[in-house]
Structures are given as C-alpha cells and as structure tokens.
C-alpha cells in the first residue's frame, strides 16, 4: 500500500460527508438500491460514491452476495464510525440550537418500564420545573429495542440493560440498581381474599409474563426452579405492560412485575390492583444508564441524565 495511505487521514484523502452518509446507511441497510433511495439519489450515483470510497481508503469495503452485498470488515468499521460521526454532528446542531435559544432544548430518552416510573419520570418533572421550555420525549420499550434505538441515534441515552449489543465497547453503562419483582393481581383476587401464600396455590394460577427468553422471564423461571417449582402456566405471553394490566384486571392471572411498578399501581386509593403478600425473592439483573461510547450529551440531556443517576443513588 502507498505510504501516503498509511500516514494521511481519510479526510485529507478526500473522504466527504456524502461518503459517510452512504456508509452509515449501508451499515444498516446493505443494499445499494435501498441506500440510494433512502439518501435521495440514483443507484448509479450511489455506486460511484462506493467506488470513490474504496479508491480513497485503498481497499474494498463491500463484496457482492447474490443480488445484494455485504460489508467487509473494513467496510463495517467505516460504517460504524460514519454513523457515530453523523450522530455527533446532529448532536452538535441540537446543542448549538439550545445555546442560541437559551432555555429551550430537546431530549429523547429510552427506558424500560420500572425505571421509567421510579427514576425517569421524577427527573423529567424536575427538569421541566427548572426549564419550562424543554421538550422531552420518553420511549418505554424493552432493552433490546432501546439499545437498537440508541445505536441508531434515535434516543440520547437509555435506562435499561445491555441486550443485543454486538460490540460492548460501543456503549458505556453506569449501573444503577437491581430490580426486585412482586406478584401483581387484581384487588379482589382469590389469593388476596384467602390470605394464602402457599407456593402451590400461587403456581396453580395462570401467569402473564413476557417470553421465557426475556430478562424477566428467565429470572422468574430460574427462581421457581431453585424452589423446586415448575415454570408457571402461561396462556398468554406479552411484553406490553398495558395489556398485562388489562389481563390481570379481568382475570385471576398473576403478573410478575417490578416491585416499584407494582407498588405504584397498588397503593393508590380505589385501585383495582393488588400485590400478593409474599416475596419469592425474584430479582432481575441490574439496569443502568446507557450512552454511546465517546459521545457528548447535549447540556439538556446531560442534566436529565444527572438527575436520573442522582435519584437512583438517593434510593439505595
């Protein structure tokens, strides 16, 4: 390889934003025709850009596979870095807007259910009191979907667990706390009326849980197995918390949910929900605040992230 290729940087060799946009798009959708459409250009134009990229870096970034293509290891590395560079530019634009508009700003947060209620909501309320002009979006989803959204730049940071991240070095996680689990039922459930806490009575009822290979599903099955009990009967499996609430409200089903969530819904006066007075000592692995490695949060996002971590430390 020419010595100048080893010593000069890619931008000195002529790598442009258009090249970065194409590589970032191919990293997510490895088809030139699809990438071209998403970028608003013709397929020949995208193919020319791809050829320019390979000439600039001095090695192939893609290889043909049937009607599509796959990125080489060099292509994957460039696509990953390109996505981060473009995300940093987007974040820089948002930060500049925040500085120009004073008190205004926009923050996009992702969270799994329990910390969204226990930590994110209080932090958001406090941030809005300090900065009424702040626009905040909170996405509540499973950890794997949140990690995908984080890596795609659709959220600033996530509160959840590292799931589906192929390269852990791409993210940084500040561990917050483990998640104890309670058994949630409707307020007039037969077990609440009888006061029974016998394990055989509890396991006899249908349970509503996410899939057995989910974080919560694995934790429940593992704990029941350690108690010598079979997996619970599941006539319906769902990751939707709203659907879970509807099911236990209208049936004798039992739902293992985060203790913080169960307590919130069961403590209100006139609630239709209750919590079984027993602790099976089910605990889901710790969650934490996750951000992209090396990224700098905007001032508004950094403030809310700090409030979330502060609230978590105060409850330990």
């Amino acid at each position: 390889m020419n010595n100048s290729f080893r010593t000069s940087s890619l931008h000195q060799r002529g790598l442009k934003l258009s090249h970065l946009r194409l590589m970032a798009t191919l990293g997510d959708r490895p088809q030139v025709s699809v990438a071209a459409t998403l970028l608003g250009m013709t397929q020949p134009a995208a193919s020319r850009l791809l050829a320019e990229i390979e000439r600039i870096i001095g090695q192939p970034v893609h290889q043909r596979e049937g009607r599509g293509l796959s990125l080489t290891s060099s292509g994957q590395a460039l696509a990953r870095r390109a996505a981060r560079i473009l995300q940093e530019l987007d974040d820089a634009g948002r930060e500049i807007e925040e500085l120009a508009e004073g008190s205004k700003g926009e923050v996009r947060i992702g969270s799994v259910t329990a910390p969204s209620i226990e930590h994110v909501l209080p932090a958001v309320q406090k941030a809005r009191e300090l900065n009424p002009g702040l626009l905040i979006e909170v996405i509540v989803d499973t950890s794997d979907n949140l990690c995908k959204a984080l890596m795609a730049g659709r959220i600033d940071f996530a509160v959840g667990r590292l799931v589906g991240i192929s390269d852990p070095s791409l993210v940084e996680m500040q561990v917050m706390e483990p998640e104890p689990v309670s058994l949630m039922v409707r307020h007039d459930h037969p077990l609440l009326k009888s006061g029974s806490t016998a394990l055989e009575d509890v396991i006899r009822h249908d349970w509503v849980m996410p899939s057995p290979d989910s974080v919560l599903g694995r934790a429940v099955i593992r704990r029941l197995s350690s108690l010598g009990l079979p997996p619970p009967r599941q006539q319906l499996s769902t990751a939707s918390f709203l659907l879970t609430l509807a099911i236990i409200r209208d049936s004798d089903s039992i739902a293992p949910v985060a203790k913080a969530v169960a307590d919130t819904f069961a403590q209100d006066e006139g609630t239709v929900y209750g919590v079984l007075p027993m602790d099976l000592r089910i605990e889901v692995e710790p969650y934490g605040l996750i951000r992209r490695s090396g990224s700098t949060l905007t001032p508004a996002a950094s403030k809310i992230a700090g409030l979330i971590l502060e609230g978590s430390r105060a409850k330990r």
Side-chain angles (χ1 to χ4, degrees), residues 151-276:
M151 299 313 299
R154 294 192 294 271
I155 56 177
D156 294 304
F157 61 86
V159 181
R161 299 171 182 83
L162 294 180
V163 180
I165 299 291
S166 57
D167 184 355
S169 67
L170 297 176
V171 295
E172 301 171 359
M173 178 175 176
Q174 291 173 269
V175 176
M176 293 168 63
E177 55 198 76
E179 192 173 66
V181 174
S182 294
L183 302 182
M184 193 169 172
V185 294
R186 59 187 172 89
H187 72 101
D188 56 351
H189 193 279
L191 291 180
L192 284 179
K193 288 181 176 180
S194 67
S196 173
T197 56
L199 292 178
E200 56 269 23
D201 290 338
V202 174
I203 205 68
R204 189 176 68 248
H205 287 270
D206 289 330
W207 287 37
V208 184
M209 295 197 305
S211 64
D213 60 351
S214 66
V215 175
L216 176 58
R218 290 196 303 269
V220 170
I221 293 172
R222 184 169 57 245
R223 178 56 181 158
L224 292 178
S225 177
S226 72
L227 295 172
L229 296 171
R233 294 190 311 180
Q234 283 184 260
Q235 291 189 339
L236 189 147
S237 176
T238 179
S240 168
F241 181 61
L242 287 178
L243 184 55
T244 297
L245 288 178
I247 293 168
I248 62 175
R249 181 195 62 197
D250 298 330
S251 71
D252 289 342
S253 296
I254 297 171
V257 300
K259 183 178 184 302
V261 175
D263 289 346
T264 297
F265 279 83
Q267 69 184 0
D268 293 338
E269 185 176 350
T271 183
V272 298
Y273 301 105
V275 175
L276 293 182

